[in-house]
Amino acid sequence: ILFIFEQYFCHIVLSPLIPEMATQEVQLNETLAHLKSESESLKSKLEEERAKLHDVELHQVAEKVEGLGQFVMKTRRTLKGHGNKVLCMDWCKDKRRIVSSSQDGKVIVWDAFTTNKEHAVTMPCTWVMACAYAPSGCAVACGGLDNKCSVYPLSLDKNENLAAKKKSVAMHTNYLSACSFTNSDMQILTSSGDGTCALWDVESGQLLQSFHGHAADVLCLDLAPSETGNTFVSGGCDKKANVWDMRSGQCIQSFETHESDINSVRYYPSGDAFASGSDDATCRLYDLRADREVAIYSKESIIFGVSSVDFSLSGRLLFGGYNDYTINVWDVLKGTRVSILFGHENRVSTLRVSPDGTAFSTGSWDHTLRIWA
Amino acid sequence: MTINTLAKGGWHREQMTCFQKMEKVIVAMQDPDMGMKMRNQRLLITVIPHAMTGKDIIDWLMQNYNINEEESLHLGGFLVQYGYIYPLKEPRCLVLRPDESPYRFQTPYFWTSTRWPVSELDYAIFLAKKNIRKQGELMEYEKERYSVLHKRINHTWDFVVMQAREQLRASKQRRKADRIVTECQEQAYWLINRPPPGAPNALDMGLERPSSCTTRMTLWPLNAMICCSNTIILSVRAYVLMCRFVKYSEQYQNHDPIMQGCLPSNPWISDDTAHWTMNAALVPIPTRLRVERWSFSFMELLSDAMGRQEFMMYLEKEFSAENLCFWQACEEIRHGESSKIVEKVEEIYKNFLAPGAARWVNIDSKTMDKTLEGIKHPHRFVMDDAQMHIYFLMKKDSYPRYLKSDLYKSMLSKAIVPQETKKSVFPFVRRQRHSSPSPAQAAEDSRSKGPQAGSD
């Protein structure tokens, strides 16, 4: 079946209507309609094949696994200092420092353990939706409505304005939704409202690779912890989660089972799967080798969208930050909800587990960050 | 009531999904069989029909969604906050009280999901009605807004006042119960669409996202499907795949601090950083759990600085240390600065690949040829194939032997199992939280010390 379609691989952009191009437009539309129906039929054939191999669900296999007891998790630290909604945060590899960014344009580096603020940067734009800590701990990257991702080396000189040494790395044509350093301080991966992801060289600001395939804003991304370390996953407003090869720029796998925008994606610790959180109020687990969704984490009483997800160190627990101000803790294997945590006074916008798994941090529209353990 | 029902334009997709789900709950609550039992509620001397108490709402949610009281109150609170249920008593406050306070379902006419372009005119009429009905009933912020509106739409002010009077007159002819209900409905509607200053804005949904994704149509999925279907044909049965999740979780369970706790204590809970000190990058003696983890996978061993160090020592004994050195050098190319790629590739060729090189690595001839060819035009990924070859060589050969070696076994037996910290005798006395040197500081120190500083 397959070889016929190799020739149909294409990327088409609909142009605005110009009267002279009307007949061309009609022809183009007809070809598109034809291709679309071919695409749909291949898609359904593929689902049939997948279904044949799909003989069991994750929670069925996990029936024999011991259930989890009650979890007592509390807020251990509250970080106050942002003047507006906290939009994003990231952990430093030293397991105690974090960087956070806010709607008011401020990016703050904290020692979360002591709750001291160590650095603060004022961005030239509001809505700083993305921030990331460099693996060395010596710099942070951030961006948002300025459509850029900038790297700020962290200086300890109290008199020095961090903005002075700022390096502009990424340039998109719409807002920056997420950014992440790869294994070193030298490369950054970004996703944007312009529908693309891109890999950049920090030193030169050069674009190393771009990733096209999403049909709408890309909202999140996560790098795979695999041995060969060459893939990442992204999620967007087109309800798709795509897995990409960083070297070639190709989309190697795609998953579309969510019913609304995907706000967050995170790899399972082994790298064989990833979880996603969406505005449809569900979290889902996708197995990369089985090439399908293997679990849904939802409850009828959970109505509000998930803004961010992350796994505990063993991958047994999935934490979800929700727009109803709560955090729901899920048993990844059994698919049940283990616990619900209250505390924030507005929606939880970002959630990350610390590098050694001792705690997780949440940022909220209530202007604060909390550390839970 | 004059509410414009003009354009029902694009609303945020996110809001619509929420509202649809809330409406599902509301409809279920009003189901004749499974829904709530509604009754007449007494409000001072008036009896309002089809009402329920806050407690009724919470009980119904608890029963039907199998959740506890706290969660039920939280969920019910949103139904009120978004105006699907409104309070009859104290209508200014959109809060759910878990007691006998009376509530009612909002009429769909006023549902938040039906997108109104809320017009200034309607708000002006609402405020005018309130002002006329009882002098001084307007709150401070309402008075302010009233006067702002008065200035802004002054030209239609006569119409505003006339409409207000007309609506008040019409309502006087209705029963008191109906009048109260309508007033509450309206008040709730305006509390959401024109919230008082400082109150949570229920309609704050953050940045606008595009309402549709039609303009960029891609047919790339065909390509992906070609790759996917190949994977399916070669993949194993789902059962085996699912089992891997169970196995992984079991293996790592003891290492998961949130699930099993950590020794001597979780720093975030006890304020004691001993756990971090014991597990620092390079310590004289590592903890038992850490050394055990090296045996889980080759990647675990390599990603731990100490593990890598130990493995290097072992390889040196076996005279195959060049493999790990080669692998590390390749990593530096892959993740390093673009400007240094050429010189690094040169170095690697000189040290590891050139015939007669000091630390020659044993790669199969096909890969060697390909790599040597690629070196002529060096780029970031030129070493990938060779690197992978050596990686899998170490993984399949040296790594398993390392785990069986005396070096590893003695490390495992020497490793510390920290004592769990006894709970403090005075739990209310908080330990002092010590700060730690920032990584940026450490980097700056080593830079300032210069080449005289000892190596890591």
Side-chain angles (χ1 to χ4, degrees), chain B residues 263-264 274-292 294 304 306-307 309-310 313 407-418:
Chain B
L263 301 170
H275 174 78
W276 286 334
T277 322
M278 284 186 205
N279 284 291
L282 296 167
V283 285
I285 306 177
T287 60
R288 182 108 201 215
L289 278 178
R290 183 177 180 178
V291 181
E292 266 175 23
W294 298 345
D304 183 342
M306 251 206 108
Q309 203 179 53
E310 288 293 303
M313 281 196 327
L407 195 65
Y408 177 72
K409 290 200 177 125
S410 71
M411 180 61 90
L412 196 58
S413 57
K414 264 194 308 181
I416 310 173
V417 181

Side-chain angles (χ1 to χ4, degrees), chain B residues 113-309:
Chain B
S113 61
T114 331
R115 201 200 184 210
W116 311 106
V118 174
S119 83
E120 309 235 274
L121 200 63
D122 290 330
Y123 193 41
I125 293 169
F126 169 69
L127 289 175
K129 269 199 297 189
K130 255 191 156 174
N131 204 21
I132 295 170
R133 192 167 50 221
K134 206 198 278 181
Q135 278 290 346
E137 194 181 273
L138 287 179
M139 310 272 297
E140 267 313 311
Y141 74 90
E142 281 172 331
K143 283 192 191 135
E144 273 172 54
R145 289 180 188 172
Y146 190 55
S147 56
V148 166
L149 280 170
H150 183 91
K151 279 193 210 113
R152 205 168 348 172
I153 54 174
N154 202 320
H155 50 284
T156 56
W157 204 252
D158 292 337
F159 173 74
V160 167
V161 173
M162 188 180 75
Q163 267 292 309
R165 287 219 173 95
E166 187 56 41
Q167 288 180 15
L168 279 175
R169 198 179 56 79
S171 72
K172 276 206 177 80
Q173 293 173 348
R174 302 163 76 196
R175 289 186 304 138
K176 186 162 187 206
D178 290 341
R179 212 171 42 235
I180 293 180
V181 161
T182 318
E183 275 168 27
C184 290
Q185 285 177 344
E186 242 191 308
Q187 176 74 74
Y189 174 82
W190 288 111
L191 270 177
I192 292 176
N193 286 287
R194 288 281 184 272
N201 183 0
L203 300 181
D204 180 7
M205 291 282 173
L207 271 190
E208 175 107 32
R209 290 178 194 168
S211 53
S212 64
C213 45
T214 52
T215 53
R216 278 168 288 183
M217 193 169 92
T218 62
L219 291 178
W220 63 264
L222 292 170
N223 193 20
M225 282 186 215
I226 295 166
C227 304
C228 289
S229 44
N230 285 334
T231 333
I232 285 168
I233 290 160
L234 298 169
S235 75
V236 287
R237 288 173 66 79
Y239 183 81
V240 175
L241 290 175
M242 299 301 102
C243 282
R244 281 185 299 114
F245 288 108
V246 178
K247 252 198 254 164
Y248 189 94
S249 301
E250 276 171 0
Q251 189 180 42
Y252 280 86
Q253 184 154 322
N254 289 340
H255 299 252
D256 188 338
I258 290 178
M259 288 191 61
Q260 301 281 120
C262 60
L263 301 170
S265 64
N266 187 322
W268 299 101
I269 300 176
S270 65
D271 288 348
D272 176 19
T273 56
H275 174 78
W276 286 334
T277 322
M278 284 186 205
N279 284 291
L282 296 167
V283 285
I285 306 177
T287 60
R288 182 108 201 215
L289 278 178
R290 183 177 180 178
V291 181
E292 266 175 23
R293 222 168 135 170
W294 298 345
S295 68
F296 289 175
S297 73
F298 189 39
M299 197 165 82
E300 285 284 358
L301 179 67
L302 284 188
S303 35
D304 183 342
M306 251 206 108
R308 233 190 350 257
Q309 203 179 53

Side-chain angles (χ1 to χ4, degrees), chain A residues 228-241:
Chain A
T228 44
N230 269 330
T231 60
F232 73 95
V233 63
S234 66
C237 288
D238 57 358
K239 313 175 198 168
K240 289 207 184 94

Side-chain angles (χ1 to χ4, degrees), chain A residues 129 145 174-175 177 192-196 214-219 235-239 260-263 279, chain B residues 9-17 205-216:
Chain A
M129 289 172 272
L145 279 187
N174 209 326
Y175 66 88
S177 53
S192 164
D194 66 11
T196 69
H214 276 287
D217 302 23
V218 187
L219 298 177
C237 288
D238 57 358
K239 313 175 198 168
S260 190
D261 301 4
I262 297 179
N263 295 316
D279 278 344
Chain B
W11 191 270
H12 290 210
R13 262 185 331 285
E14 177 202 328
Q15 288 156 298
M16 279 318 285
T17 329
M205 291 282 173
L207 271 190
E208 175 107 32
R209 290 178 194 168
S211 53
S212 64
C213 45
T214 52
T215 53
R216 278 168 288 183

